[in-house]
Structures are given as structure tokens and as C-alpha cells.
Amino acid sequence: MRFDVLTIFPDMFSAYLRDGIAGRAVKRGLLDVRLVNIRDFARGAHKTTDDRPYGGGDGMVMRPGPISRALGSIERNSRGSLVILLTPQGETFNQSIAWDISSLEQVILVCGRYEGVDERIRLLFVDREISIGDYVLSGGELAAMVIMDSVCRLIPGTLGGEKSSFEDSFQDSLLEYPHYTRPRVFEGLEVPEILLSGDHARIRGWRRKEALKRTFERRPDLLAKAKLDDEDLRILEQIRSQTPACPPEAEADC
Ligand code: 6GU
């Protein structure tokens, strides 16, 4: 799989691509990341990539010319490629979009900066617009790394244990169960006895129950789309019955 990343800050990616999960995938030849510096396609004495908005107002807008020429310089996979614009106005990224993207051979990520990108870039070149959440970042670079990281984990061979990406939170729409490692007692807190029992069936049952409990307490919205069997539903009913009912005056908070 190949990512072409258009940015005015290519150096922001170097530590991640060296040390991160993507770095390992690059070394193994599973992933190819090409950084394209938009400034290399700027013209004129000042090589400006941004300018004042028509109509006035605060902030600067990324000019269409340099981005258009940068896009034109990318060799496109004949079996297709997708141009994604990272913008707070896009659809909110999630695991299902990560799966969509992981099936593609070439993805072109355009990192917007400043107040935005000239609208004509969107109209002419962009296939999909993605945001990574409802908060403001100064640019799309961190979002591009978030997307590459989550997609990279889904490419077979990029993780140590082949199965681990399937056990992650959100893969089956449940949060993860609590994890413990040595020492057995830390600051007076003991590892749950069952995890030391060696009884793998009981351990599996305990972990499933803890995952259900955690999801119920923290992200009940996820339970609606989770794949739950009859045993899960029975456990959830038990968890629900042990949860104190919400007093009417506090309804909005619980
Ligand atoms: Cl993709 N870009 C910017 N600038 N801010 C964001 C974002 C993207 N996703 C969330 N906030």
C-alpha cells in the first residue's frame, strides 16, 4: 500500500515514519510513504503557498496552484487511487473508514493548513474529506499520521502478533478488558486471582464480562452496534441490574 502525503511540513513526519508502526511497515516493504513538499511547487520570488482570502477576513488560505501542481507530480496507480483532504469539515474518522482505506493500493493525503484550502482544490481533485474529531488542529499533518497509523495496523504482517489488530478496541465495537503484567502486587493492588489460575476458559469469560462492563459504563453507545451473543446479553442484563437506577433529578448526567 502506498500513501502520498502533500504537506508544507514534511519534517513533521520523520520521527513517526522512523519509529512508529508505519516505520516498521516501510522497512518490511509493506508500506510506501512518499512525502511531497507543497512549497516545492510554489512559484515566484517568495514561493508563497498561502494568500489572503477574497472577500476579506482573518487568516490565510492555501493557494490552489501549488497543491494542484503537487498533485499533478504524483504517479497514479492504474488500478485507482483516492485523494483525501484532511479538514475539520470532513466526515469523522473511525475504524470502519480505516478498513475502507486499507483496501486501497494508493491513497493521497492532502494536509490543509491555515484557515483552509482554496475551495477549487476540493471541487477539482478531492474524493473524500476526513476529520479526526471535533476539535481544532493547526493543520492536517497530525490527522494524516493518525490515519496512516490506524490503517497500517490493518495491513497483514505489520503487527507483531497477526491476531492483535482483531482483538483491539472497536474491532468488535467493545472496549478492551483491563490488562495486568508483573509484579503480582503493585502499591498494594493485586492482580485478579482468576488471571493467575491458568484456566483459560474462565479467563476468557472474565475478560468478556469486564469488556462488556467497561463498555456499558463508559461507551453505552457502542453496545448498539456490537456483535453480542446470548451469553453476552445475559451478562449485560446482570450488569444493568447491578447498576443503581438514575435518580430523575440527575437524568441528564447518567
Ligand atoms: Cl483533519 N484538520 C484540522 N486542521 N483540524 C482537525 C482535523 C483535521 N480533524 C480534527 N480537527
Side-chain angles (χ1 to χ4, degrees):
M1 173 166 199
R2 169 171 159 178
F3 284 103
D4 294 87
V5 185
L6 273 66
T7 170
I8 58 164
F9 292 127
D11 291 348
M12 282 183 71
F13 292 83
S14 50
Y16 173 63
L17 289 175
R18 189 185 59 231
D19 303 333
I21 183 102
R24 202 169 59 186
V26 169
K27 284 185 203 96
R28 290 184 183 172
L30 299 165
L31 185 71
D32 184 10
V33 180
R34 314 268 179 107
L35 295 165
V36 181
N37 191 340
I38 296 169
R39 196 172 300 281
D40 292 344
F41 297 88
R43 289 179 178 159
H46 301 292
K47 300 253 177 213
T48 55
T49 54
D50 63 331
D51 207 339
R52 294 181 319 244
Y54 276 119
D58 289 336
M60 301 290 267
V61 177
M62 291 184 84
R63 302 173 67 184
I67 296 179
S68 163
R69 289 188 290 275
L71 282 169
S73 77
I74 295 170
E75 31 163 343
R76 303 284 282 259
N77 186 315
S78 56
R79 284 180 297 276
S81 53
L82 196 80
V83 177
I84 296 176
L85 176 66
L86 286 327
T87 163
Q89 299 172 41
E91 60 183 314
T92 309
F93 190 63
N94 59 30
Q95 194 68 28
S96 148
I97 301 175
W99 276 112
D100 281 0
I101 295 175
S102 73
S103 69
L104 304 171
E105 288 189 33
Q106 183 181 28
V107 175
I108 299 167
L109 298 174
V110 181
C111 303
R113 274 264 143 185
Y114 311 110
E115 268 55 44
V117 172
D118 188 287
E119 185 68 6
R120 289 160 293 186
I121 289 298
R122 256 187 12 84
L123 296 171
L124 290 170
F125 305 113
V126 172
D127 300 309
R128 195 162 185 175
E129 295 175 64
I130 293 178
S131 157
I132 58 164
D134 292 339
Y135 40 81
V136 180
L137 301 171
S138 352
E141 283 77 8
L142 289 168
M145 286 185 257
V146 165
I147 289 172
M148 286 195 287
D149 195 81
S150 60
V151 169
C152 201
R153 304 173 57 78
L154 304 178
I155 302 174
T158 55
L159 298 181
E162 257 328 63
K163 264 174 59 190
S164 23
S165 77
F166 295 93
E167 285 169 9
D168 280 355
S169 289
F170 296 105
Q171 213 78 70
D172 63 0
S173 291
L174 291 183
L175 300 184
E176 291 231 303
Y177 53 79
H179 299 282
Y180 292 89
T181 186
R182 289 189 290 181
R184 204 176 61 72
V185 184
F186 182 74
E187 302 279 330
L189 296 177
E190 290 187 25
V191 173
E193 199 59 43
I194 192 163
L195 297 178
L196 313 172
S197 69
D199 184 339
H200 296 292
R202 279 185 65 222
I203 290 171
R204 217 175 305 114
W206 180 86
R207 286 178 167 166
R208 186 73 182 173
K209 180 172 181 181
E210 292 300 314
L212 288 164
K213 205 190 309 178
R214 200 154 264 201
T215 310
F216 175 78
E217 285 164 0
R218 299 182 185 192
R219 292 293 308 277
D221 57 301
L222 293 178
L223 289 173
K225 52 179 175 164
K227 282 193 220 109
L228 303 175
D229 62 18
D230 289 349
E231 175 66 2
D232 292 330
L233 293 172
R234 195 189 61 74
I235 295 167
L236 263 180
E237 209 32 65
Q238 188 190 347
I239 294 168
R240 267 198 198 97
S241 69
Q242 288 163 2
T243 306
C246 182
E249 67 276 13
E251 201 127 271
D253 304 316
C254 57

